[in-house]
Amino acid sequence: MSRKLEGAAPRTRLPARSVDTHMHLYAPQYPQLTPGPLVPPDCPGIDEYRRLQRWLGLEQVVIVQANAHRDDNSCILAALDAFGENARGVAVVKPETPESTLAELHQRGVRGARIMQLPGGAVGLEHLLAVNARVREFGWHCIVQFDGREMLDHVPLLQQIDNPFIIDHIGKFLGPVTPQDPEFQALLKLMDRGNCYVKIAACYESSHTGGPEYADTAALSRALIAHAPERVLWASNWPHVSQSVDNAPDDAVLLDTVCGWIPDQKTLERIFVHNPRDLYDFS
């Protein structure tokens, strides 16, 4: 079964210069590296993603290093070269990554470093401060993903960051959490510091109520948007590698669902255009 890359257009008409802030690309010449997760058998790449962009009405993109490729950023660099100024990248950086490598990554469009405290991640939270210290010199930020049920444990670490950083996937609460629970309230307080962004993405990965409405992650997303819309980002999380191809969400339907959580056009433009353009240095 092939991935759905076209169909009925979304009901939502996205504003010009809308940015997808988190997706992954693969290519046969860049194999899976141990102990990362497997590369999808169909290797969804640049051509497939461009079809998705046309279908959804997207113009610019942030390509995030796939866990399957560990710290070999070759695949995203090739994609950045292909997309040009319409793309930025999030790479895997280690504390010992040479300065010359960081400079090359920056020149080719990388603006962030990935920290992943979940199975398959290449660089975990124990390296966050060291990696952040390296990349902030280039005006980059770290994107951070962990099980949100551990939020209270990680807040002291995250509070040590005084430049921008991003919490992925609505906080990635892998157990049921409500907007009133202390773990989620701690996330809101991080946003209040002024440098913490949260990405509205992959609602299907942590929802316990399920689609198509994802009522539980919808409630969290609405609370984030109401609390600090200036620090919320949207992302497709395409090609949804946590799901099988036949169980992956319909991207047009998912986009409409998420946009239904956004109260008005001004906020939609803030989340899809202004916030990511400021953070990712798009021209």
Side-chain angles (χ1 to χ4, degrees), residues 191-271:
M191 297 177 81
D192 289 339
R193 293 170 60 85
N195 64 327
C196 174
Y197 291 74
V198 181
K199 201 176 289 172
I200 302 296
C203 58
Y204 51 86
E205 288 189 349
S206 55
S207 176
H208 291 264
T209 58
E213 298 302 326
Y214 306 105
D216 49 357
T217 46
L220 301 180
S221 299
R222 287 193 176 100
L224 292 167
I225 294 166
H227 189 77
E230 71 278 9
R231 285 184 293 282
V232 173
L233 305 163
W234 171 84
S236 70
N237 201 43
W238 188 87
H240 316 292
V241 293
S242 64
Q243 316 294 301
S244 63
V245 172
D246 53 334
N247 286 327
D250 180 303
D251 285 281
V253 172
L254 184 60
L255 176 65
D256 283 332
T257 297
V258 173
C259 288
W261 306 337
I262 300 172
D264 52 54
Q265 184 67 22
K266 181 179 179 180
T267 306
L268 183 78
E269 291 182 2
R270 181 185 289 274
I271 291 171

Side-chain angles (χ1 to χ4, degrees), residues 25 29-33 65-78 90-94 105 122:
L25 291 174
Q29 64 267 40
Y30 305 110
Q32 178 260 346
L33 297 179
Q65 170 76 342
N67 290 316
H69 298 313
R70 311 298 288 167
D71 62 344
D72 180 356
N73 296 299
S74 301
C75 187
I76 67 164
L77 290 175
V90 173
V92 163
V93 171
K94 294 183 174 180
L105 292 172

Side-chain angles (χ1 to χ4, degrees), residues 66-264:
N67 290 316
H69 298 313
R70 311 298 288 167
D71 62 344
D72 180 356
N73 296 299
S74 301
C75 187
I76 67 164
L77 290 175
L80 288 170
D81 291 345
F83 280 103
E85 283 303 308
N86 283 324
R88 295 289 184 263
V90 173
V92 163
V93 171
K94 294 183 174 180
E96 65 270 21
T97 299
E99 191 85 3
S100 59
T101 299
L102 295 175
E104 180 190 359
L105 292 172
H106 184 86
Q107 189 275 328
R108 294 176 72 175
V110 173
R111 295 295 184 271
R114 188 175 199 193
I115 302 293
M116 179 74 162
Q117 189 73 12
L118 287 170
V123 177
L125 281 170
E126 69 273 18
H127 299 299
L128 172 60
L129 296 182
V131 170
N132 185 66
R134 300 295 312 284
V135 305
R136 67 176 299 166
E137 300 176 15
F138 292 86
W140 301 5
H141 57 271
C142 289
I143 72 168
V144 184
Q145 189 172 154
F146 54 84
D147 183 343
R149 293 176 296 182
E150 302 168 356
M151 186 69 67
L152 298 174
D153 295 332
H154 299 317
V155 161
L157 173 67
L158 297 169
Q159 286 177 332
Q160 296 180 59
I161 301 175
D162 57 10
N163 57 307
F165 68 98
I166 299 172
I167 300 290
D168 268 341
H169 297 1
I170 324 175
K172 200 64 174 279
F173 295 96
L174 295 178
V177 171
T178 74
Q180 292 73 42
D181 286 338
E183 294 82 0
F184 187 78
Q185 288 295 309
L187 177 57
L188 297 183
K189 290 177 182 177
L190 282 173
M191 297 177 81
D192 289 339
R193 293 170 60 85
N195 64 327
C196 174
Y197 291 74
V198 181
K199 201 176 289 172
I200 302 296
C203 58
Y204 51 86
E205 288 189 349
S206 55
S207 176
H208 291 264
T209 58
E213 298 302 326
Y214 306 105
D216 49 357
T217 46
L220 301 180
S221 299
R222 287 193 176 100
L224 292 167
I225 294 166
H227 189 77
E230 71 278 9
R231 285 184 293 282
V232 173
L233 305 163
W234 171 84
S236 70
N237 201 43
W238 188 87
H240 316 292
V241 293
S242 64
Q243 316 294 301
S244 63
V245 172
D246 53 334
N247 286 327
D250 180 303
D251 285 281
V253 172
L254 184 60
L255 176 65
D256 283 332
T257 297
V258 173
C259 288
W261 306 337
I262 300 172
D264 52 54

